[in-house]
Amino acid sequence: MFSDLNNLLAISKENHLQGEFVVISSSKADGSFLIHHFLSFFLKQNKPVCFVGFSQSYNHYNTVAQKLSCNLNAAKTSGQLVFIEGMKLLGDAVSGNRLVKGDNSLMCNTDFDLQKFFLCIKSSLDSLKVNQSQDPVLIIDNLSFLHYIGCSIPQLVMFVNYLLGKVTSQGTGSFVLAIYNDMISVDEESDLLWKNLSHLCSLTCQVTGLESGYSKDVHGELLITWRSRDVKQSQTKKTQFKLLDKNVTFFASGMSSAVL
Amino acid sequence: MAAPMKQSQTSFQKKIPTKLQIPGTKPSLYNNQLLISTGIPSLDNVIGGGLAVGTVLLIEEDVFGGYGRLMLKYFCAEAVMTGQALFLGSMDNMPSQILNELPAPILDDPGPDSEQLVTMDTERMKIAWRYQHLPQFQSSPVGTKFGHYYDLTRSMELEVISSINTLLIGQSELTETGSSEHPMNPYYLQLLKRIQEKIESDGFGTAVQQEKRNILRIAIHSLGSPLWGENGGLNQNGNYDPSLPRFLLALRVLMRSAFAVCVITMPTHLFCDEGFVVRVERLCDTVVHLESFAGSEKEKNSLYKEYHGLFNIRQLPSLNSLTCHMPDTLDLAFKLRRKRFSIEKLHLPPELSETASRPQEDPLSNFKSPSQTGSCGTSLGFKNKLDF
């Protein structure tokens, strides 16, 4: 949990993203630090969290969370956290040879069955809500993997819409979603996904690499945009960052300690 | 009081005693991951010490594929030298052919020379005599070395290669077709099954308890070439074919739960869709890209005359940590000497003669018309206030 980032995102004690839909996009730089931040942040707020990890194994998330002084194992046993090992689930589904036992297969003919997967997430959200008597937070890292293995964009947008309805309908749950969006390369479909999601969401965090290329001391730029219905209120913030072992430092563009 | 004191003496022990010593591995300094060498020490150096166990390295081949294949051979040769198991799959070449062309190792420690020891003993230290009685420290621990050097002019003896556990998967092993109705290209599926069988049968999985651990090295040559039935991510009807991403995802899942490392070379220059290449890269952990000068304009450029191609690091994994290894630069160059392939920092050749300018500077000066020299240029005949 990074306190600087909370200030940037205007997160305070009263307002911790209830009913918000946050989309994190990364291109040319790794935005996964935001995911780790949100995971430990919501767990420390005693919120029930459902986490779907497509990009890494549970072990990775757990080790990083420990560095941010947050224990995923304890949260799991206390029932505060439901961790869905999306990577393993997806890998087993597409390799097909050791399908999930019985007829619980997540594949429908040759395609990944998003509807079954939605029901799987829905049931864990429901059980979290009943057990913790609080609206849960859903974090998905990273939706683009579903696209890569062959889910079409309209399907994915529908999937996100269903999840959004499920999580934020009461106005107290939150939904954090990460995608890859390579604006530089010509991947039209991922651009389409990004446009659709930014249409739905209330807060976007765009992590991009530097325009001037790779640097050892400045790891990327973060553009935060609040989308409110009132045009006057919507605001953006741009900052550069450097990742450290257990923290992230933010500074204004061109104000890196390596430059000055 | 004395007795409990004695017991508490042991409280300052290493947190994790050296529990598993696998030949040819070392722990990473950054994230405590177990690393193995790629066989090219200069490459290990730039990617943060080596390849983490349980990850996939993607080598994007140069246009003729020669250097990519060479790097794969180094990776296989390192398996032989460290006694690790090797799984070699190829569709384009016979895997046995690649195995026969492995470079021979340079063995630089032929053991302590007895004669030298005698002379050392008689000739006492004259200077710094007070260090004489101190025990001799070894700066580097002996045992299995991490990363070897190889001589490309000679090939490794077959008896040495046959000493390790190898499995070769070629075209004939992969063409057994199963059911046609499957979410993946049959070749990829077959390859995946073979890897899975190998991991299960020889106990490389992390779930299996074993007395003596070893690492499985998986080398796949030219994955995604037309012989694998790949068409740059498109199927026959021109729609998106997710076979390759699916294979890589399933492979990553397999690797994460096994003591194995996979190196894939892939001719990504054959894929016309840039976006597809990016997707493939995202599904691997470490990605490097080779661009050979052979047959390109850069071959004749005197700037590059010391190198054989450019070497780009496209992606580095962040494993168990927020950040990945951050090298000084991602743009490097590779060089193939008579005996050795190495990756070096790209730098300009020294300017030896005082008068000669580089030939590629000449066209620039032609473009410069006198009016364009806005800065302190030295255009004769045109007097600007700023000129000197």
Side-chain angles (χ1 to χ4, degrees):
Chain A
M1 191 173 108
F2 316 121
S3 46
D4 288 357
L5 189 56
N6 283 346
N7 294 338
L8 277 173
L9 293 169
I11 292 172
S12 57
K13 276 192 180 144
E14 302 83 53
N15 163 35
H16 32 76
L17 300 173
Q18 296 109 321
E20 306 284 3
F21 176 28
V22 185
V23 176
I24 300 165
S25 86
S26 21
S27 71
K28 297 270 170 186
D30 192 12
S32 59
F33 70 95
L34 290 167
I35 285 290
H36 294 298
H37 166 77
F38 281 120
L39 176 59
S40 55
F41 170 75
F42 284 120
L43 284 177
K44 281 179 189 170
Q45 301 290 324
N46 289 322
K47 286 266 192 180
V49 177
C50 175
F51 192 96
V52 187
F54 289 121
S55 59
Q56 293 283 359
S57 60
Y58 171 69
N59 217 3
H60 169 82
Y61 293 110
N62 189 24
T63 320
V64 179
Q66 272 173 9
K67 287 186 178 177
L68 308 179
S69 60
C70 184
N71 193 338
L72 294 194
N73 284 333
K76 245 168 102 171
T77 43
S78 71
Q80 196 196 349
L81 171 72
V82 173
F83 192 94
I84 300 176
E85 287 224 44
M87 186 176 87
K88 201 164 172 350
L89 216 71
L90 220 57
D92 287 349
V94 294
S95 61
N97 45 358
R98 46 169 186 190
L99 282 173
V100 191
K101 282 134 247 154
D103 43 65
N104 264 342
S105 161
L106 285 168
M107 294 301 274
C108 165
N109 293 325
T110 62
D111 283 319
F112 188 71
D113 194 342
L114 278 177
Q115 196 180 349
K116 270 183 191 159
F117 191 58
F118 168 71
L119 293 176
C120 167
I121 296 177
K122 183 169 173 263
S123 69
S124 18
L125 285 173
D126 284 338
S127 66
L128 270 176
K129 192 174 178 182
V130 170
N131 294 336
Q132 306 280 315
S133 57
Q134 212 177 355
D135 267 331
V137 176
L138 175 65
I139 305 178
I140 298 182
D141 178 34
N142 179 315
L143 192 75
S144 290
F145 282 102
L146 286 177
H147 174 216
Y148 293 171
I149 63 149
C151 296
S152 72
I153 300 299
Q155 276 179 328
L156 284 175
V157 173
M158 203 74 88
F159 175 66
V160 171
N161 257 316
Y162 272 107
L163 287 174
L164 190 62
K166 180 80 201 137
V167 177
T168 58
S169 56
Q170 307 293 320
T172 51
S174 318
F175 188 11
V176 179
L177 180 66
I179 59 162
Y180 288 124
N181 175 31
D182 297 283
M183 282 165 289
I184 298 120
S185 75
V186 276
D187 197 349
E188 285 171 11
E189 292 214 306
S190 74
D191 194 42
L192 188 63
L193 180 63
W194 160 247
K195 279 177 183 157
N196 269 299
L197 292 179
S198 50
H199 176 72
L200 290 172
C201 72
S202 48
L203 169 64
T204 59
C205 303
Q206 286 171 268
V207 179
T208 51
L210 293 182
E211 275 175 44
S212 51
Y214 171 82
S215 161
K216 198 184 172 179
D217 297 299
V218 183
H219 294 173
E221 279 180 341
L222 172 66
L223 178 67
I224 298 167
T225 314
W226 281 98
R227 283 157 203 273
S228 59
R229 277 158 192 80
D230 183 7
V231 184
K232 281 176 196 162
Q233 278 181 10
S234 72
Q235 48 172 310
T236 60
K237 277 181 194 165
K238 194 172 188 179
T239 172
Q240 292 184 335
F241 64 90
K242 181 182 180 178
L243 299 173
L244 304 172
D245 188 37
K246 290 181 181 172
N247 206 349
V248 186
T249 52
F250 293 95
F251 38 85
S253 298
M255 301 293 269
S256 156
S257 56
V259 179
L260 298 177
Chain B
M1 257 333 258
M5 279 293 278
K6 250 184 187 173
Q7 279 178 353
S8 66
Q9 266 181 350
T10 54
S11 65
F12 275 108
Q13 268 188 341
K14 264 189 183 172
K15 204 175 175 187
I16 307 153
T18 49
K19 49 171 187 180
L20 74 174
Q21 266 294 347
I22 307 173
T25 63
K26 70 170 184 188
S28 161
L29 294 173
Y30 301 102
N31 48 17
N32 211 16
Q33 287 275 317
L34 203 59
L35 300 180
I36 68 162
S37 172
T38 55
I40 307 169
S42 51
L43 175 60
D44 290 342
N45 210 10
V46 293
I47 59 170
L51 296 171
V53 170
T55 61
V56 182
L57 166 69
L58 175 69
I59 300 171
E60 297 186 29
E61 288 178 13
D62 47 305
V63 175
F64 299 112
Y67 295 103
R69 204 172 122 154
L70 186 67
M71 286 176 72
L72 200 70
K73 282 185 204 160
Y74 269 111
F75 178 72
C76 297
E78 188 66 22
V80 178
M81 289 313 293
T82 50
Q84 293 164 350
L86 178 66
F87 177 104
L88 179 58
S90 176
M91 207 68 168
D92 293 38
N93 296 98
M94 293 290 285
S96 56
Q97 190 194 343
I98 297 179
L99 208 62
N100 289 344
E101 293 170 358
L102 296 187
I106 300 169
L107 299 166
D108 52 3
D109 45 346
D113 203 13
S114 55
E115 256 181 71
Q116 225 177 355
L117 276 180
V118 173
T119 52
M120 280 271 285
D121 218 32
T122 51
E123 210 173 292
R124 287 277 169 207
M125 242 191 296
K126 297 274 163 37
I127 313 161
W129 47 269
R130 61 163 120 167
Y131 300 122
Q132 205 170 321
H133 299 293
L134 291 178
Q136 290 192 333
F137 287 104
Q138 281 176 313
S139 53
S140 58
V142 277
T144 37
K145 241 176 69 186
F146 186 86
H148 294 76
Y149 288 95
Y150 298 91
D151 181 355
L152 288 174
T153 52
R154 294 180 296 133
S155 56
M156 200 183 271
E157 289 105 18
L158 289 177
E159 298 94 74
V160 183
I161 296 171
S162 58
S163 67
I164 63 157
N165 174 359
T166 50
L167 177 63
L168 305 181
I169 298 294
Q171 200 164 9
S172 50
E173 282 86 359
L174 288 173
T175 36
E176 299 157 25
T177 45
S179 57
S180 58
E181 189 63 23
H182 201 275
M184 213 190 294
N185 176 330
Y187 297 123
Y188 294 155
L189 186 66
Q190 199 66 30
L191 182 65
L192 199 65
K193 276 186 178 161
R194 291 292 183 143
I195 294 173
Q196 197 179 342
E197 277 166 21
K198 179 77 182 167
I199 288 172
E200 274 167 14
S201 68
D202 294 8
F204 289 109
T206 43
V208 189
Q209 288 291 323
Q210 279 220 321
E211 290 259 309
K212 199 164 174 287
R213 278 264 177 228
N214 207 347
I215 303 282
L216 175 66
R217 283 177 184 246
I218 300 168
I220 304 169
H221 175 241
S222 265
L223 185 77
S225 76
L227 286 173
W228 292 88
E230 181 65 48
N231 186 25
L234 298 175
N235 61 16
Q236 277 140 354
N237 309 325
N239 297 321
Y240 179 49
D241 174 20
S243 284
L244 190 57
R246 282 178 179 184
F247 168 78
L248 291 171
L249 182 76
L251 181 69
R252 176 185 261 187
V253 173
L254 267 183
M255 290 291 109
R256 287 289 195 269
S257 59
F259 280 90
V261 175
C262 185
V263 170
I264 299 170
T265 71
M266 193 182 285
T268 48
H269 55 91
L270 297 180
F271 306 160
C272 47
D273 186 4
E274 285 268 335
F276 184 66
V277 178
V278 173
R279 288 175 204 175
V280 166
E281 286 173 353
R282 289 265 159 74
L283 288 160
C284 299
D285 295 298
T286 314
V287 182
V288 299
H289 178 261
L290 297 177
E291 185 191 337
S292 158
F293 293 150
S296 79
E297 286 281 302
K298 289 171 182 158
E299 193 179 20
K300 292 156 208 147
N301 195 327
S302 63
L303 270 182
Y304 296 129
K305 67 182 172 193
E306 287 194 21
Y307 305 103
H308 288 91
L310 298 178
F311 183 90
N312 295 313
I313 302 172
R314 289 275 169 92
Q315 185 176 301
L316 285 169
S318 46
L319 299 161
N320 295 342
S321 64
L322 275 176
T323 159
C324 59
H325 168 65
M326 284 289 187
D328 288 332
T329 174
L330 300 180
D331 300 309
L332 302 145
F334 64 83
K335 188 190 274 184
L336 181 68
R337 297 201 198 85
R338 204 169 70 86
K339 291 189 173 182
R340 190 147 69 97
F341 175 84
S342 61
I343 287 152
E344 294 174 9
K345 268 189 188 161
L346 183 66
H347 59 79
L348 299 176
E351 184 80 273
L352 293 174
S353 58
E354 273 179 35
T355 49
S357 61
R358 293 193 190 86
Q360 65 272 14
E361 280 178 358
D362 291 337
L364 254 181
S365 57
N366 291 343
F367 286 124
K368 271 186 200 162
S369 65
S371 60
Q372 277 177 327
T373 53
S375 64
C376 313
T378 51
S379 53
L380 293 169
F382 187 82
K383 279 287 172 197
N384 194 312
K385 276 178 186 169
L386 287 169
D387 283 358
F388 55 83

